[in-house]
Amino acid sequence: MSEPMLPRPTDAELGILRVLWERGSSTVRDVHEALNKGQEGTGYTTVLKLMQIMTEKGLVERDESQRAHVYKARATQQKTQRQLVTDLLDRAFGGSPAQLAMQALSTKKASAEELAELRKLLDTLEGEETP
């Protein structure tokens, strides 16, 4: 049985998730500082409220065993990205991975390393299709 799909995170929630994926389990203060990186940006109470909402939605888990609650992402970055891409693929590209890839590659130039990784993936996928 597969895990249930988590709700699609908002842009602000994705920002928080990126911090948690990069840093691992963190307090609200840690996330607030990482999001603002020494500049005035999103307020502490806004980050706190967003993380409370994300807990209710099941996007993050909260450890309340310490005075400062510690949050961690419930799903991995790869799983979340895969879910977002699948949703986009279905909604905007009629389920066509080729159309999605062509649009993505025509929108922004890929580095030589990224193109090499794509070629490797395509070679692997082609090898799986041959009988």
Side-chain angles (χ1 to χ4, degrees):
M1 188 165 146
S2 65
E3 275 187 57
M5 288 195 37
L6 296 174
R8 185 174 16 169
T10 65
D11 290 346
E13 291 169 344
L14 271 174
I16 291 170
L17 287 171
R18 278 190 210 97
V19 172
L20 294 174
W21 290 324
E22 183 180 305
R23 298 175 57 115
S25 297
S26 302
T27 64
V28 174
R29 183 153 317 282
D30 295 335
V31 172
H32 174 258
E33 289 173 3
L35 287 172
N36 294 304
K37 293 188 174 113
Q39 316 172 33
E40 197 56 40
T42 307
Y44 176 86
T45 55
T46 301
V47 174
L48 171 62
K49 185 62 179 172
L50 278 168
M51 293 179 79
Q52 290 170 337
I53 291 168
M54 291 171 73
T55 301
E56 291 169 14
K57 290 168 89 174
L59 294 170
V60 298
E61 295 174 350
R62 178 175 52 215
D63 177 359
E64 300 177 7
S65 64
Q66 302 173 40
R67 185 173 181 273
H69 296 172
V70 177
Y71 292 80
K72 70 177 184 176
R74 187 156 168 240
T76 63
Q77 183 173 8
Q78 182 179 12
K79 180 179 178 185
T80 302
Q81 287 174 339
R82 185 164 288 158
Q83 184 175 324
L84 290 169
V85 167
T86 299
D87 181 58
L88 179 64
L89 184 67
D90 291 342
R91 287 186 307 118
F93 296 95
S96 171
Q99 285 186 11
L100 171 66
M102 287 186 286
Q103 281 297 326
L105 291 170
S106 67
T107 302
K108 187 174 180 184
K109 186 167 173 48
S111 69
E113 294 82 20
E114 291 170 325
L115 291 173
E117 279 187 56
L118 286 168
R119 282 188 190 94
K120 188 174 167 183
L121 175 62
L122 290 171
D123 290 344
T124 301
L125 292 172
E126 283 179 344
E128 291 175 1
E129 289 180 7
T130 53

